[in-house]
């Protein structure tokens, strides 16, 4: 629909005798909707710009020529609109007949359709592929509804069967025989997703939607986001899985469980199983857009046969099914015997806030252990701590929507298209080439000009050794040697300070440490930075100037930075850059931190890590500890908690004797793969709470089956700090139970009375009492939409932009730059990379059977030059060797990779990729190094 | 017909760099240079203008004047008017399609012949008729068509004068005047 400017003036018009007042620029179609009057339409869509092609929405407007289409006619003062005059109704029926000459109509004009099922014998002898009752979209079809609305009971015109062969694309089933060429898929793919996979091909009677030369979707550039499936009004574009499952029994609004974008969607349930997810067009975060994981990868894993249905205990070396009572009693007995600091707790970045909060409460208050961490340590802890150092807050400082209004974007080390696809979509929408000739001159010239962005296209600077989608549109692409980002950022800081390009966003902000920082930057000369990073000096200087002088700028970072040896320092340098250029504390500028998983943010927020108590109270602050003890009514564990890898080291040395792991798979994802298994095997008692029998769960003494996100109520917090409601759509599979319920049961068996919860709403209320940043939130408020923390009081709208009232920033000095030296015999630098369809260790996404079409094993990616030097062909098996381990992987040779680098994915357990990474740690966050590891690759 | 090289295309499309709205202009330039839109030019146009390959393909297929196939060396324009048809035109056309092995509006794989059908030449007195490039062949019979193509196939020997009629338009005018 037409985008309406915020400052538009109100216009009053009359629709079918009803006076309605709407902002200027609204279309007649939307105004009629506002007045409660339905106008049928097919090509219009809430996510798209008006098009005016299908002619279904024709109305009569007094004193206007002809019968204008309501979807692309803007309202005018005192306009008088008639939507159902005899002339309009007759014309609409004619239009519908014309549309139906190219669409199967067997059931559309049949009065018995509602009494007919797919198995019935048709009394009119209509062919099976010409019926509604055998169409995947039956009762979900907008054409059917429109047809019923205009009341078409016979067709005067002949109908042509198109007989276009079906296609074999994965995930998306295309049946052009059902297509009415409304163009919605073409437009959503271009306007919203910037992919343009579909085009309207050929003309006149032969017009049809297709890819160039009918190529398979994958070759045509499709990212399988499913936007075309969601906008298609008929059954032409459908999700292949459950295509014929029909209409859902009920739908529930919830939030996606994969990445930290936190997209809201509808879970469609039929007979107790989630059959598909559907879009919420008015969703605040994502506006009805999803990615391959969220659109096609949610329903299958949660109803998979791989789910654990009963608790398992180890008897005679084997895991056997048991009852909840026996399992929980055993866990309580074993943990009680070791309470104190013999127990390590590893929480999940995927469970709800309520479960995360209860887990750390159980650890600190009942198990009395400070050793609490999550697998967020593997990628995001360095980001959190680096941002905390400089800004005092370790989260995105503005909503990610700011990307579309900013003037400059600095993207450092994050392949957004894989890790946060909706943030990537917002970025690509902003930076892709704009249509210079406005497309609505001429015929649509009376519409407000919405096709051209009001803000000028922002400048894009990418710092990434790898060619990623945004580099295609980058104004400046710095391609450093892996592991040298801190040096590049240091040199940019030096340019900005030396050239006096500094400014402050607000007069109330104070900045400490500028002199010390400047002093420490002396060795970061452009020449030195060029020598170490391989990025030309002038590019570094130009990037610094562009970032400092373009206006409001957004900096985005990711695991490319945080998984380096000096990840924490690199993130701190990036934040210093933002502070010094005045890009923190004002709208459309800031630092974005797209964390790894759906609730990594929430796990950090609620103290599921050794450094912080809930609400980012420092774990060693006496006052904070006292407040928490008062709130919980008991003493909490001592200071000095161990991080993930420290815990595993302690397990190996028998300092920890038991571990409680919830929804995490360190046996596959952590560095030092084989040694992690040793550590877990060395434990006397290991409890794993998970949905599936992961590599980690296979080592456990007790496995507790947890319920999926679709089977419980709760909240997730996305990377933007927005807390959103997760709602129960179906009952837990088998005997599995929600994480919070298991923790409540266990705490009761351990003799605690501080876990008297019967519903997550009570846990959330306690979170609001304990954590100051959540104080103003409640389920009631969250039902109206997401709230961003800090939200301090019940009428606080939440802070969408941080630091607007000033803040105290603290810029730490940088350690001198050092060039990394690889040991002899390791010519390549190896890093971890992501794949676009698999998430984390792939435990869930591997269960989506059709993803095997894209990738069915882990792989090593190499530049053609390096592959040629090593004698490895594309698709051949290769042995990857690092000083820490060996893995045998299939090679993918691609120029996306920088010369001298290799990348591996970590989505499949059998490949043993984890063992390639060693005991090196980033001193700041004590997190393992997954980037710039010396390696060599040889043919098998 | 030379194949489009990357350098040639880059030079040709340079003025359109980043201009999403100039797809048709860019394609017209390509067609003017090569006579059609070569496969590799679709990619080049998409890349240079910043639109998708699919969109470019959609534009090409919309406009009749933009061709995806190289033009044939000789175009046969066969009359499909009422008189030609009544005088056995259909059998003659069938003979042509079977000789050349193509259907109407197709080109032979070697790019020599392209067969088109036109509504009417307005010369019913000479029906049935066709034009090969600029030569008119009139009062056709199946035999005559076989002879014409027998002389020309295989390959394309030196042009033959159709029925001894040099410039068709003048000839037609004369005949009509007579």
């Amino acid at each position: 629909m037409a985008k309406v400017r915020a400052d538009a003036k109100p216009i009053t018009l009359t629709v079918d005798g009803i006076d309605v007042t709407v902002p200027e620029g609204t279309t007649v179609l939307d105004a009629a909707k506002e007045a409660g009057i339905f106008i049928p339409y097919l090509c219009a869509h809430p996510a798209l710009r008006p098009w005016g092609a299908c002619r279904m929405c024709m109305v009569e407007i007094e004193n206007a020529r002809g019968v204008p289409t309501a979807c692309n006619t803007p309202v005018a003062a005192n306009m008088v609109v008639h939507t159902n005059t005899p002339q309009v109704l007759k014309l609409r029926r004619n239009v519908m007949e014309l549309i139906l000459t190219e669409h199967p109509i067997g059931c559309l004009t049949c009065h018995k359709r509602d009494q007919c099922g797919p198995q019935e014998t048709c009394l009119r002898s209509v062919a099976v592929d010409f019926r509604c009752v055998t169409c995947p979209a039956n009762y979900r079809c907008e054409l059917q509804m429109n047809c019923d609305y205009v009341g078409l009971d016979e067709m005067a015109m002949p109908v042509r069967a198109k007989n276009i062969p079906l296609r074999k694309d994965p995930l998306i089933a295309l049946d052009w025989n059902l297509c009415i060429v409304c163009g919605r898929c073409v437009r959503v793919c271009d306007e919203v997703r910037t992919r343009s996979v579909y085009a309207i091909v050929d003309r006149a009677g032969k017009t049809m939607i297709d890819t160039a030369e009918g190529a398979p979707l994958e070759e045509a550039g499709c990212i399988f986001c499913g936007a075309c499936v969601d906008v298609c009004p008929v059954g032409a574009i459908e999700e292949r899985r459950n295509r014929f499952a029909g209409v859902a029994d009920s739908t529930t609004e919830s939030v996606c469980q994969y990445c930290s974008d936190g997209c809201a969607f509808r879970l469609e349930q039929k007979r107790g199983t989630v059959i598909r997810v559907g879009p919420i067009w008015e969703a605040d975060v994502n506006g009805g857009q999803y990615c391959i994981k969220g659109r096609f990868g949610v329903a299958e894993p949660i109803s998979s046969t791989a789910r654990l249905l009963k608790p398992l205990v180890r008897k005679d070396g084997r895991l056997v099914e048991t009852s909840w009572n026996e399992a929980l009693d055993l866990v309580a007995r074993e943990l009680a015997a070791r309470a104190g600091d013999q127990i390590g707790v590893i929480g999940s970045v995927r469970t709800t806030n309520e479960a995360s909060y209860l887990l750390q409460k159980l650890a600190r208050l009942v198990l009395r252990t400070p050793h609490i961490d999550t697998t967020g340590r593997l990628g995001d802890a360095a980001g959190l701590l680096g941002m905390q150092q400089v800004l005092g807050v370790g989260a995105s400082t503005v909503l990610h929507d700011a990307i579309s209004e900013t003037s400059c974007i600095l993207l450092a080390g994050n392949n957004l298209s894989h890790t946060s696809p909706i943030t990537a979509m917002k970025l690509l929408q902003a930076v892709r080439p704009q249509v210079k000739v406005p497309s609505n001159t001429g015929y649509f010239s009376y519409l407000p000009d919405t096709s051209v962005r009001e803000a000028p296209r922002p400048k894009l600077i990418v710092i990434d050794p790898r060619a990623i989608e945004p580099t295609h549109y980058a104004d400046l692409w710095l391609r450093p040697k892996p592991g040298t980002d801190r040096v590049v950022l240091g040199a940019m800081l030096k340019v900005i300070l030396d050239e006096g390009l500094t400014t402050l966003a607000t007069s109330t902000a104070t900045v400490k440490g500028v002199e010390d920082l400047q002093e420490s930057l002396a060795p970061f000369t452009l020449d030195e930075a060029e020598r170490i990073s391989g990025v030309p000096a002038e590019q570094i200087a130009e990037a610094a100037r562009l970032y400092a002088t373009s206006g409001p700028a957004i900096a985005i970072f990711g695991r490319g930075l945080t998984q380096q040896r000096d990840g924490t320092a690199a993130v701190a340098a990036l934040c210093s850059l933002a502070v010094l250029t005045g890009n923190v504390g004002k709208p459309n500028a800031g630092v974005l931190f797209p964390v790894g998983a759906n609730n990594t943010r929430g796990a950090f927020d609620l103290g599921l890590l050794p450094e912080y108590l809930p609400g980012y109270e420092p774990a060693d602050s006496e006052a904070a500890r006292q407040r928490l003890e008062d709130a919980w009514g008991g003493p909490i564990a001592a200071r000095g908690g161990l991080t993930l890898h420290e815990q595993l080291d302690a397990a190996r040395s028998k300092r920890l004797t038991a571990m409680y792991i919830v929804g995490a798979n360190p046996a596959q994802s952590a560095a030092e793969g084989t040694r992690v298994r040793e550590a877990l095997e060395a434990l006397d008692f290991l409890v794993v709470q998970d949905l599936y029998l992961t590599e980690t769960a296979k080592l456990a003494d007790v496995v507790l089956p947890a319920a999926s996100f679709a089977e419980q109520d709760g909240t997730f917090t996305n990377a933007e700090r927005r807390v959103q409601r997760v709602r129960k759509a179906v009952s837990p599979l088998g005997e599995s139970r929600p994480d919070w319920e298991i923790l409540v049961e266990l705490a009761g068996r351990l003799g605690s009375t501080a876990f008297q919860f019967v519903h997550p709403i009570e846990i959330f209320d306690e979170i609001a009492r304990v954590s100051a940043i959540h104080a103003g939130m409640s389920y009631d408020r969250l039902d109206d939409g997401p709230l961003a923390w800090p939200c301090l009081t019940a009428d606080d709208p939440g802070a969408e932009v941080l630091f607007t009232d000033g803040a105290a920033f603290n810029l730490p000095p940088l350690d001198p730059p050092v060039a990394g030296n690889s040991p002899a015999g390791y010519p390549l630098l190896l890093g971890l990379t992501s794949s676009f369809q698999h998430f984390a260790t792939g435990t869930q996404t591997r269960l989506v059977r059709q993803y095997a079409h894209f990738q069915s094993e882990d792989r090593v990616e190499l530049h053609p030059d390096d592959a040629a030097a090593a004698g490895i062909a594309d698709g051949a098996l290769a042995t990857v060797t690092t000083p820490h381990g060996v893995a045998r992987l299939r090679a993918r040779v691609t120029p996306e990779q920088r010369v001298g680098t290799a990348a591996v994915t970590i989505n499949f357990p059998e490949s043993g990729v984890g063992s390639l990474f060693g005991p090196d740690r980033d001193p700041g966050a004590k997190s393992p190094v997954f980037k710039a590891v010396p390696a060599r690759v040889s043919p098998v | 017909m030379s194949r489009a090289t990357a350098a040639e295309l880059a030079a040709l499309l340079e003025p359109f760099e980043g201009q999403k709205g100039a797809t048709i202009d860019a394609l017209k330039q390509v067609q003017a240079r090569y006579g059609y839109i070569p496969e590799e030019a679709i990619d080049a146009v998409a890349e240079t203008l910043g639109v998708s390959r699919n969109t470019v393909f959609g534009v090409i297929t919309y406009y009749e004047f933009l061709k995806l196939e190289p033009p044939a060396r000789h175009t046969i324009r066969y009359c499909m008017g009422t008189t030609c048809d009544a005088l056995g035109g259909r059998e003659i056309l069938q003979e042509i399609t079977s000789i050349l092995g193509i259907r109407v509006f197709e080109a032979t794989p070697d790019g020599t012949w392209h067969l088109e059908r036109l509504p009417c030449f307005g010369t019913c007195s000479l029906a049935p008729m066709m034009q090969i490039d600029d030569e008119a062949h009139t009062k056709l019979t199946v035999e005559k068509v076989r002879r014409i193509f027998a002389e020309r196939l295989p390959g394309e020997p030196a042009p033959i004068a159709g029925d001894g009629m040099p410039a068709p338009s003048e000839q037609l005018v004369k005949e009509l005047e007579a």
Side-chain angles (χ1 to χ4, degrees):
Chain A
M1 305 274 150
K3 194 167 66 185
V4 177
R5 289 191 178 86
D7 55 352
K9 66 174 191 208
I11 297 248
T12 303
L13 69 158
T14 310
V15 184
D16 287 352
I18 300 172
D19 285 346
V20 58
T21 305
V22 291
E24 187 180 18
T26 308
T27 62
V28 171
L29 183 66
D30 289 342
K33 217 176 264 175
E34 191 74 10
I37 290 161
F38 176 74
I39 300 175
Y41 60 86
L42 284 168
C43 74
H45 191 275
L48 301 171
R49 293 199 294 260
W51 212 41
C54 75
R55 319 310 287 177
M56 279 304 291
C57 64
M58 290 183 298
V59 291
E60 267 183 60
I61 298 176
E62 285 182 14
N63 302 323
R65 198 162 57 90
V67 272
T69 42
C71 72
N72 61 352
T73 305
V75 295
N78 306 322
M79 198 180 236
V80 181
V81 182
H82 301 285
T83 71
N84 56 4
T85 62
Q87 187 205 1
V88 163
L89 294 179
K90 181 165 175 283
L91 277 170
R92 275 193 202 142
R93 266 198 295 276
N94 290 351
V95 167
M96 180 56 90
E97 279 194 47
L98 281 168
I99 291 172
L100 290 183
T101 55
E102 298 197 353
H103 185 90
I105 58 146
C107 304
L108 278 178
T109 53
C110 180
H111 66 286
K112 285 191 78 174
R113 186 208 311 145
D114 288 350
Q115 301 145 34
C116 227
Q119 308 293 324
E120 233 106 331
T121 305
C122 178
L123 294 179
R124 293 172 153 196
S125 297
V126 171
V128 174
D129 59 357
F130 234 59
R131 300 181 197 171
C132 283
V133 291
T134 48
C135 169
N138 193 23
Y139 295 116
R140 299 190 289 131
C141 176
E142 289 179 45
L143 181 68
Q144 198 178 47
M145 294 172 206
N146 273 289
C147 200
D148 291 351
Y149 181 82
V150 302
L152 193 73
D153 46 16
E154 65 178 298
M155 270 284 284
M157 278 179 265
V159 179
R160 185 170 63 97
K162 285 181 281 210
N163 294 326
I164 302 174
L166 298 183
R167 298 167 45 122
K168 292 198 169 73
D169 302 288
L171 299 170
I172 297 175
L174 300 175
D175 183 352
W176 296 136
N177 296 302
L178 303 174
C179 178
I180 54 168
V181 204
C182 66
R184 282 187 191 178
C185 53
V186 179
R187 289 179 292 144
V188 79
C189 200
D190 176 50
E191 283 174 27
V192 184
R193 303 309 302 230
T194 70
R195 306 298 307 189
S196 306
V197 168
Y198 299 112
I200 297 180
V201 169
D202 234 315
R203 61 183 297 166
K206 292 177 286 178
T207 308
M208 194 31 64
I209 311 292
D210 211 347
T211 54
E213 288 150 342
L217 289 179
E218 208 183 342
E219 287 170 28
C222 180
I223 53 168
F224 297 92
C225 66
C228 53
V229 178
D230 291 334
V231 295
C232 182
V234 293
I237 311 182
E238 285 282 334
E239 181 176 349
R240 197 171 277 287
R241 183 174 179 271
N242 280 343
R243 192 166 161 228
F244 290 96
V247 183
D249 292 344
S250 66
T251 62
T252 311
E253 295 196 357
S254 197
V255 174
C256 181
Q257 55 149 355
Y258 285 117
C259 81
S260 62
D261 278 338
C263 301
F265 54 36
R266 279 193 190 88
L267 292 168
E268 299 194 357
Q269 173 271 131
K270 190 165 190 172
R271 297 189 201 107
T273 305
V274 175
I275 50 169
R276 65 175 83 87
V277 300
I280 303 178
W281 300 111
E282 55 283 356
D284 297 79
V285 171
N286 56 309
Q289 298 302 321
Y290 306 92
C291 68
I292 180 169
K293 297 183 275 273
R295 185 63 184 74
F296 300 107
V298 167
E300 201 167 351
I302 60 180
S303 56
S304 163
T305 50
R307 279 281 298 275
L308 293 168
L309 303 179
K310 280 171 85 85
L312 306 174
V313 293
R314 192 167 292 278
K315 284 184 180 154
D316 305 326
R318 284 178 55 235
L319 284 170
V320 292
E321 288 190 349
T322 184
S323 69
W324 270 105
N325 271 331
E326 194 191 330
L328 286 172
D329 284 343
L330 177 63
V331 173
R333 206 163 55 235
E334 293 285 337
L335 292 183
R338 294 177 172 82
D341 62 0
Q342 281 188 54
I343 304 175
V345 174
I346 294 175
S348 179
V349 290
R350 312 285 303 279
T351 54
T352 59
N353 282 326
E354 289 73 6
S356 299
Y357 173 78
L358 281 195
L359 182 64
Q360 60 86 32
K361 186 178 177 184
L362 181 84
R364 289 191 163 115
L365 182 69
V366 182
L367 302 177
R368 308 293 299 283
T369 175
H371 310 314
I372 313 157
D373 206 358
T374 62
T375 39
R377 181 69 50 184
L378 300 171
D380 298 320
L384 172 76
L385 297 173
M387 288 188 81
Q388 284 275 5
Q389 261 181 33
V390 179
L391 307 174
V393 172
S396 291
T397 65
V398 281
L399 299 188
H400 292 190
D401 285 337
I403 288 174
S404 41
E405 303 292 334
T406 191
S407 305
C408 179
I409 301 167
L410 171 65
L411 177 62
N414 194 335
N415 188 356
L416 279 179
S417 317
H418 291 182
T419 59
S420 300
I422 296 304
T423 304
M425 175 190 86
K426 291 171 184 172
L427 185 140
L428 293 173
Q429 281 175 359
V431 301
R432 69 160 173 172
Q434 307 295 315
V435 178
K436 289 204 177 130
V437 188
S439 65
N440 52 11
T441 50
Y443 186 68
F444 294 141
S445 56
Y446 49 81
L447 264 184
D449 187 3
T450 54
S451 63
V452 181
R453 276 164 46 86
E454 284 168 45
R457 177 189 173 277
K459 298 274 183 268
L460 175 64
I461 309 163
V462 180
I463 306 181
D464 206 310
R466 193 185 161 86
I468 54 176
E469 217 181 339
T471 53
H472 195 71
Y473 304 114
D475 296 274
L476 205 52
W477 176 19
L478 278 51
R479 208 172 185 182
K481 214 169 127 186
T484 63
D485 295 55
R486 189 185 68 96
V487 181
V488 174
L489 292 166
M492 284 173 67
L493 271 170
K494 186 169 161 56
V495 170
I496 285 169
L497 282 165
D498 288 353
E499 299 186 4
L501 301 175
T502 58
T503 169
L504 274 185
T506 53
S507 52
T508 46
T510 59
V511 183
K512 276 192 287 188
V514 181
E515 288 80 21
D516 288 350
L517 173 65
Q518 191 151 20
E519 205 170 299
S520 74
L521 287 173
F524 286 82
T525 59
L526 288 172
D527 292 342
E528 180 70 357
E530 174 171 345
R531 190 181 67 82
I532 293 176
S533 68
V535 181
E538 62 272 25
Q539 276 193 13
I540 300 179
E542 201 191 331
R545 290 178 201 128
L546 202 58
Y547 178 73
T549 59
S550 292
I554 295 272
I556 310 171
F557 68 92
R559 295 184 172 198
L561 246 59
T562 59
Q563 290 185 334
Q564 294 180 13
R565 186 187 303 273
D566 45 15
T568 313
V571 172
L574 185 74
C575 294
S576 300
L577 206 58
V579 167
L580 285 175
T581 50
N583 280 317
V584 181
K586 64 182 179 194
N588 306 331
V591 181
L592 306 189
F593 176 21
V595 288
N598 57 332
N599 208 28
T600 309
R601 183 81 271 146
F604 286 164
D605 297 348
L606 297 167
L608 207 56
L609 69 173
E611 292 94 341
Y612 294 104
L613 303 175
Y616 296 105
E617 300 286 357
D620 44 13
S621 145
E622 194 48 52
R625 294 172 61 85
Q626 191 58 50
R627 274 199 299 278
L628 199 58
E629 289 183 353
D630 292 346
W632 285 352
I636 59 170
R639 297 175 177 78
L642 300 176
T643 60
L644 174 66
H645 280 273
E646 288 172 336
Q647 286 189 33
L648 293 167
D649 292 341
R652 219 175 290 122
S653 63
K654 289 284 182 187
R655 197 181 136 205
L656 291 185
T657 57
M659 265 178 127
Y660 192 173
I661 300 179
V662 178
N665 190 7
Q668 190 187 336
S669 62
E672 306 176 85
T674 46
R675 297 192 69 210
V676 173
R677 297 178 75 93
E678 277 167 36
L680 296 174
E681 279 163 2
L683 291 165
D684 295 341
F685 190 66
L686 172 62
V687 190
V688 175
Q689 181 172 316
D690 208 307
L691 275 69
Y692 312 94
L693 198 63
T694 60
E695 295 304 293
T696 309
K698 284 176 189 164
L699 305 171
D701 296 292
V702 178
V703 183
L704 303 174
S708 73
F709 83 108
E711 297 157 354
Q712 55 182 307
D713 283 295
T715 52
F716 287 156
T717 308
N718 79 353
E720 305 168 291
R721 299 172 277 110
R722 277 164 149 180
V723 181
Q724 298 189 91
R725 275 282 273 120
V726 173
R727 294 180 185 84
K728 179 176 173 175
V730 290
S731 300
L733 208 60
E735 289 180 24
S736 63
R737 299 169 79 170
D739 297 281
W740 66 270
E741 206 178 300
I742 299 172
L743 294 167
V744 166
E745 285 279 340
L746 193 58
R749 279 175 165 77
L750 285 161
S752 173
T753 54
F755 287 72
Q756 312 272 343
F757 304 107
V758 297
H759 190 273
I761 191 167
E762 297 170 358
I763 308 171
F764 195 82
D765 287 346
E766 183 174 315
I767 292 173
R769 283 198 299 278
V770 170
S771 162
I773 56 175
H774 296 93
M777 295 185 194
S778 65
Y779 274 24
D780 271 354
R781 291 193 70 194
L782 292 172
D783 278 340
D784 298 335
L787 284 171
W789 63 252
C791 173
L792 304 176
T793 59
D795 49 10
D796 184 347
E800 300 192 340
V801 184
L802 290 179
F803 311 120
T804 42
D805 312 327
F809 302 123
N810 180 27
L811 311 186
L814 264 64
D815 292 336
V818 279
N821 283 322
S822 289
Y826 295 99
L828 300 176
L829 290 172
L830 180 76
L832 212 51
T833 187
S834 50
S835 53
F836 88 111
Q837 77 281 21
H838 283 300
F839 184 80
T841 57
T843 303
Q844 289 190 306
T845 44
R846 266 182 283 118
L847 297 172
V848 184
R849 274 164 293 177
Q850 294 205 34
Y851 284 1
H853 178 89
F854 308 104
Q855 185 187 359
S856 55
E857 59 189 339
D858 275 328
R859 61 187 180 219
V860 56
E861 307 198 341
L862 295 167
H863 188 272
D865 294 355
D866 295 321
I872 295 165
D874 191 27
L877 272 179
T879 305
V880 183
T881 313
T882 68
H884 317 292
V886 181
R888 182 184 281 200
L889 302 166
R890 208 163 282 286
R892 177 172 169 254
V893 179
T894 165
E896 288 165 17
Q897 206 61 38
R898 188 187 193 274
V899 178
T901 69
V904 288
T905 59
I906 189 163
N907 309 125
F908 296 85
E910 57 276 8
S911 60
V913 164
S915 64
L916 293 173
F917 301 95
D920 298 336
R921 303 281 177 266
D922 169 7
K926 297 173 185 166
S927 49
V929 177
F930 283 115
K931 295 277 149 61
V933 175
R936 70 166 172 266
V937 178
S938 48
V940 171
Chain B
M1 190 64 50
S2 65
R3 279 183 71 80
T5 66
E8 247 173 33
L9 284 169
L12 199 62
L13 296 172
E14 201 258 315
F16 305 105
E17 175 99 43
Q19 292 186 42
K20 263 188 100 168
T23 313
I24 297 170
D25 289 340
L27 289 169
K28 275 162 79 178
Q29 287 289 322
V30 173
Q31 175 129 324
R33 168 71 181 75
Y34 300 103
Y36 74 114
I37 314 284
E39 172 94 32
E40 50 273 26
I42 301 180
D43 288 319
V45 170
E47 184 77 10
T48 316
L49 273 66
V51 295
S52 98
R53 187 182 152 75
N54 307 297
T55 308
V56 177
F57 186 78
V59 171
I60 297 170
T61 52
Y62 183 82
Y63 293 102
E64 286 287 348
F65 70 88
L66 293 173
K67 313 268 186 208
L68 282 162
E69 301 289 329
R73 279 188 291 273
H74 300 292
T75 305
I76 305 161
R77 295 186 186 82
Y78 190 83
C79 181
M80 58 184 269
T82 317
T83 316
C84 291
D85 199 62
L87 292 173
R90 219 172 290 182
E91 290 78 45
I92 296 166
L93 181 61
Q94 205 161 20
E95 186 62 27
I96 298 174
T97 56
S98 70
I99 290 172
L100 298 177
I102 52 173
R103 287 179 298 180
V104 180
F105 293 117
E106 282 184 355
T108 52
D110 64 357
T112 309
W113 300 99
H114 188 262
L115 177 60
E116 284 177 14
R117 231 165 46 162
L118 263 66
C120 184
F121 286 98
T123 55
C124 297
S125 57
L126 301 173
M129 85 158 282
M130 68 174 174
Q131 255 187 354
I132 296 181
D133 297 333
D134 286 340
E135 312 156 359
H137 298 264
T138 56
K139 297 188 176 170
L140 293 173
T141 61
V142 171
E143 280 305 309
K144 208 165 169 181
V145 163
R146 280 192 195 139
R147 213 169 53 234
I148 292 169
F149 285 101
E151 285 171 22
R152 291 201 160 206
L153 287 174
E156 36 168 344
I160 49 161
D163 293 344
M165 293 182 286
S169 48
E170 290 166 32
Q171 178 67 25
L172 292 179
V173 171
K174 264 187 224 162
E175 292 240 353
L176 287 170
E177 278 169 354

